[in-house]
Amino acid sequence: MTILGNRPTTRPGQPTSSLRAPGLDWLLMLASLALVTMGTLLVWSATSTRADLTGGDPNAYLRKQLVNVAIGLVLMVAVMATDHRWVRILAPLAYVASVGGLVMVLVAGSTINGSRSWLQLGGMSIQPSEFAKLAVVIGMALVVAERTERRWGRGVGSLEVVGMLLVAAVPAVLILLQPDLGTMLVLAATVFGVLAVAGAGRTWLAGLTVGAVVGAIAAVSAGVLKPYQVDRFMAFTNPTLDPRGAGYNVEQARIAVGNGGLLGQGLFEGSQTRSGFVPEQHTDFIFTVAGEELGLVGAGVLILLLAVVIWRALAISADAGDLFGRVAAAGIACWFGFQAFQNIGMCLGIMPVTGVPLPFVSYGGSSLFAGMLALGLLQNIHLRSSVASRR
């Protein structure tokens, strides 16, 4: 599949659909804001009875998440309002800053849950690997755009593919050294998606797939993965193997989701949630709160909203007026899509536990900030495409 080539334009006087009308992509905006709102309520519910987390203040995490949301909205608007030319100019700086953050983590980062992934800045914890996902997407988009925009129709060659892989390789190695397996899996899926959309040859895609499988086997054999990470994969294949150890999270998560039934037990009323049986429920396992308290219907609405965000990202990619915008928007869609699948899948027991947040829903500043920056970039690309279509 290739995205290179001339794109059709709207003829003068030809009506446009409401989804493509000049201005913001309102479906994307409303769906993302609804996700953030749902996420804030679910975080509040997951933490309001956890005195060990809140210090006795049931509203502590609600206030923290509202601050995160406010900062995220400012970041989204800032990127959305930035001139498109400046977005491309600043892309290399964003990439360098992201790599610098990953290096700082390895030098002076804090270890949480077995992974050195956090930087303590005053009273705030920053996870640079979350921003690395967006940096890799825009970095790869910039490489392929700069080398091919003046050569329409010739496609993406080996030199462009190698350049894109080099852009992704530096953050990937630094993330693997932390080690942050969950982010590494999301990054790998995102890179594969970007290469496919950019038009990399089937030989490259097949070779990368085989290489990834061989690399995973070699990593396990060489002891690159820590014992607890191997235990998680073993528990995924057989949850009853260690129900009080590595399999505990998955077992409790499935119980919580199963408790919800069709309509759920009610917000703030989930028995598993109020008892604190599901570890990291306000972050990695936030979907279990939706499943237990909002039921199949509420969890389905959450998944539908995520699907809308991914659909609009792909639509923006298809309508983008330049190659950079098309590849970047498609990369963001791949990122959101795989990360959401991985998070929800581990809550349902169909994916191994790797510790990745649910986009726009889980508690945490870094994940939300990176996601809102990505939304701002999507709107920026959409706005530029809308202006171009009017000319």
Side-chain angles (χ1 to χ4, degrees), residues 228 230-255 277-279 285 346-347 349 352-353:
Y228 78 90
V230 176
D231 290 342
R232 285 179 175 179
F233 277 96
M234 295 301 294
F236 165 66
T237 59
N238 184 8
T240 62
L241 187 65
D242 187 11
R244 295 186 178 276
Y248 178 81
N249 291 19
V250 175
E251 187 66 23
Q252 295 301 318
R254 294 174 69 177
I255 292 173
F277 287 145
V278 183
F285 287 91
M346 73 181 188
C347 291
V353 176

Side-chain angles (χ1 to χ4, degrees), residues 21-43:
L24 295 178
D25 188 316
W26 285 106
L27 266 180
L28 175 64
M29 181 69 75
L30 293 175
S32 57
L33 291 178
L35 280 171
V36 170
T37 301
M38 285 187 70
T40 302
L41 291 173
L42 294 174
V43 168

Side-chain angles (χ1 to χ4, degrees), residues 182-366:
T183 300
M184 186 63 205
L185 290 174
V186 173
L187 190 63
T190 302
V191 169
F192 187 89
V194 170
L195 288 171
V197 172
R202 294 179 181 177
T203 302
W204 272 105
L205 297 178
L208 289 172
T209 302
V210 173
V213 173
V214 173
I217 296 173
V220 174
S221 302
V224 174
L225 298 181
K226 292 190 175 182
Y228 78 90
Q229 293 174 320
V230 176
D231 290 342
R232 285 179 175 179
F233 277 96
M234 295 301 294
F236 165 66
T237 59
N238 184 8
T240 62
L241 187 65
D242 187 11
R244 295 186 178 276
Y248 178 81
N249 291 19
V250 175
E251 187 66 23
Q252 295 301 318
R254 294 174 69 177
I255 292 173
V257 173
N259 284 346
L262 181 62
L263 299 177
Q265 298 181 353
L267 195 62
F268 300 99
E269 299 297 331
S271 55
Q272 289 283 104
T273 300
R274 293 181 64 84
S275 300
F277 287 145
V278 183
E280 309 296 338
Q281 196 171 18
H282 61 302
T283 54
D284 301 341
F285 287 91
I286 192 69
F287 185 77
T288 63
V289 185
E292 181 176 47
E293 299 190 345
L294 305 180
L296 179 63
V297 172
V301 169
L302 190 152
I303 293 174
L304 178 62
L305 290 171
L306 284 167
V308 170
V309 170
I310 296 166
W311 163 50
R312 293 313 305 155
L314 291 173
I316 289 171
S317 173
D319 292 339
D322 68 322
L323 188 55
F324 173 81
R326 265 181 270 180
V327 175
I332 291 171
C334 294
W335 160 22
F336 288 168
F338 183 81
Q339 184 163 321
F341 174 76
Q342 169 64 28
N343 179 279
I344 295 172
M346 73 181 188
C347 291
L348 299 178
I350 61 174
M351 291 291 284
V353 176
T354 54
V356 295
L358 187 59
F360 309 109
V361 181
S362 292
Y363 172 79
S366 299

Side-chain angles (χ1 to χ4, degrees), residues 28-167:
L28 175 64
M29 181 69 75
L30 293 175
S32 57
L33 291 178
L35 280 171
V36 170
T37 301
M38 285 187 70
T40 302
L41 291 173
L42 294 174
V43 168
W44 187 16
S45 177
T47 58
S48 61
T49 59
R50 295 287 303 277
D52 58 319
L53 293 175
T54 64
D57 181 359
N59 300 324
Y61 274 75
L62 171 63
R63 288 193 294 269
K64 290 179 182 179
Q65 189 68 348
L66 287 174
V67 171
N68 291 335
V69 170
I71 296 173
L73 289 172
V74 171
L75 293 174
M76 180 186 70
V77 172
V79 175
M80 186 171 60
T82 301
D83 186 275
H84 191 73
R85 292 168 295 181
W86 275 102
V87 171
R88 292 184 61 159
I89 292 172
L90 294 174
L93 297 178
Y95 177 82
V96 171
S98 173
V99 171
L102 292 173
V103 172
M104 287 180 63
V105 160
L106 295 176
V107 174
S110 300
T111 301
I112 299 177
N113 293 332
S115 177
R116 184 185 289 270
S117 304
W118 303 85
L119 284 175
Q120 302 296 331
L121 301 177
M124 179 177 292
S125 298
I126 300 295
Q127 189 175 9
S129 58
E130 289 294 332
F131 300 98
K133 300 169 189 173
L134 179 59
V136 166
V137 167
I138 61 177
M140 294 177 70
L142 188 62
V143 167
V144 69
E146 290 294 326
R147 289 196 56 84
T148 60
E149 277 183 337
R150 296 180 181 86
R151 301 184 297 129
W152 291 103
R154 290 184 56 182
V156 175
S158 295
L159 193 60
E160 288 76 30
V161 173
V162 171
M164 296 168 76
L165 289 175
L166 288 175
V167 166

